[in-house]
Amino acid sequence: MKDVYEDFSARTVAAVRALELGDRGPSAAAISDLPDAVLARIVVEPPRDFSHGDLATNAAMVLAKPLGLNPRDLAAMLASALEAEADVETSEVAGPGFINLRLSPVVWQKALADILAAGTDYGRLESADGDAVNVEYVSANPTGPMHVGHCRGAVVGDAIASLLDFTGHKVTREYYINDAGAQIDTLARSAHLRYREAIGEDIGKIPAGLYPGDYLVPLGQALKAEFGDTLLVMDEAQWLPLVRDRAIDAMMVMIREDLAALGIAHDVFSSERSLLAEGRDRVAEAIDTLRARDLVYVGSL
């Protein structure tokens, strides 16, 4: 019903501009000189008590002081003007100067017809120059399956992105893959342990500090199928990057499958490692640039 409120907001402003105050206030020119900022404070909305009508407006309350008029006197003039509007059955002054409108049933019948015709696009805002917005969400470390906490972030983030898209923004949905740092090396060492298990070695209890989950068992078997026993004779410096790459890929397959089960699809998957390549820390560089432009807000959640 938002269209109805917007329509009658516009009609109310038009009725204000058309008022002839006569000897009850400043000249009509004073109305035409009202700044847009004042008119923007006029609100048309459902009344708190629906027995009072369909719509209520604060127009007289907002404009009385700038026009040098008593709010109820101005409300009476404006109510009379609004009652002459098509689709308005009654217009009454209430309280200190509010105006309650009762609309013809045809207004709501047309609004319902518009809703049915628009279907799921009802209320969508189309904007050729809509602001570009990047929404980065989920971004769970690729060290294992998603859990309920990740799921919550995924749903909230996707809802925000969908709302921005629905209101005319150009939205990019981004998943920032935290595939650099100590936790990724821990993942690779955990996968290598499962690889040794797949080769036939008795690995015993998973050492503290490594990821113990059974989800790494298939990855160990995949490493055996690809490399045979050649990883066993390599130094860690040789096998670690090989295992790390495959472990990240395997975890991201699991994560993408979980997101797909939620009906969530990202436009961009950005790798942290790619931003740290070639001896450059592009993350730090970007933050420094944003700080230099005073675009970084530091607060608490």
Side-chain angles (χ1 to χ4, degrees):
M1 302 302 177
K2 176 172 166 286
D3 292 345
V4 174
Y5 304 137
E6 290 179 344
D7 177 33
F8 277 90
S9 292
R11 291 200 205 185
T12 301
V13 171
V16 167
R17 292 193 182 281
L19 277 180
E20 295 183 4
L21 300 178
D23 58 0
R24 286 191 278 183
S27 67
I31 295 178
S32 63
D33 290 339
L34 286 171
D36 290 339
V38 172
L39 296 176
R41 290 163 49 202
I42 295 175
V43 174
V44 176
E45 60 188 356
R48 292 181 181 178
D49 185 343
F50 284 101
S51 67
H52 294 165
D54 298 310
L55 301 175
T57 179
N58 65 347
M61 306 282 289
V62 167
L63 302 175
K65 185 174 181 180
L67 293 176
L69 290 172
N70 177 280
R72 280 191 64 90
D73 289 345
L74 179 58
M77 298 169 62
L78 189 52
S80 177
L82 287 171
E83 194 158 4
E85 281 286 316
D87 304 325
V88 175
E89 290 194 341
T90 62
S91 179
E92 299 174 347
V93 178
F98 292 103
I99 302 170
N100 293 327
L101 305 176
R102 194 175 301 279
L103 306 182
S104 167
V106 72
V107 174
W108 305 113
Q109 292 163 3
K110 180 180 182 303
L112 288 171
D114 290 343
I115 292 172
L116 292 172
T120 56
D121 279 334
Y122 179 74
R124 179 180 291 279
L125 300 181
E126 299 294 345
S127 175
D129 57 351
D131 291 336
V133 179
N134 186 83
V135 184
E136 180 262 321
Y137 58 106
V138 188
S139 299
N141 291 342
T143 54
M146 291 176 61
H147 55 59
V148 171
H150 299 142
C151 177
R152 178 184 180 278
V155 172
V156 171
D158 207 59
I160 290 171
S162 295
L163 285 169
L164 287 167
D165 174 68
F166 205 77
T167 52
H169 296 80
K170 299 182 175 106
V171 179
T172 298
R173 293 166 161 86
E174 180 185 15
Y175 187 117
Y176 182 72
I177 307 171
N178 297 111
D179 54 2
Q183 84 278 358
I184 297 300
D185 287 344
T186 299
L187 172 68
R189 293 186 179 101
S190 304
H192 187 264
L193 187 67
R194 292 297 191 176
Y195 159 74
R196 287 161 46 197
E197 181 181 48
I199 291 292
E201 184 178 331
D202 182 4
I203 61 172
K205 185 178 179 181
I206 305 295
L210 297 185
Y211 297 116
D214 289 344
Y215 61 88
L216 291 174
V217 172
L219 177 55
Q221 294 168 345
L223 289 169
K224 174 189 173 184
E226 181 178 358
F227 294 103
D229 60 3
T230 58
L231 295 180
L232 295 176
V233 298
M234 293 183 187
D235 294 332
E236 182 178 280
Q238 294 175 292
W239 63 253
L240 188 65
L242 297 173
V243 175
R244 183 170 51 211
D245 289 347
R246 286 150 182 83
I248 293 169
D249 289 344
M251 296 305 101
M252 288 308 301
V253 167
M254 295 172 61
I255 289 171
R256 287 174 189 261
E257 288 175 348
D258 288 340
L259 291 171
L262 282 170
I264 292 174
H266 287 78
D267 302 307
V268 177
F269 284 81
S270 301
S271 164
E272 182 182 4
R273 281 191 301 164
S274 69
L275 300 176
L276 302 175
E278 302 168 1
R280 289 181 59 187
D281 188 342
R282 293 172 177 81
V283 176
E285 291 173 9
I287 292 173
D288 289 342
T289 299
L290 291 171
R291 281 192 174 129
R293 298 180 182 178
D294 196 26
L295 295 174
V296 174
Y297 168 74
V298 178
S300 57
L301 183 62

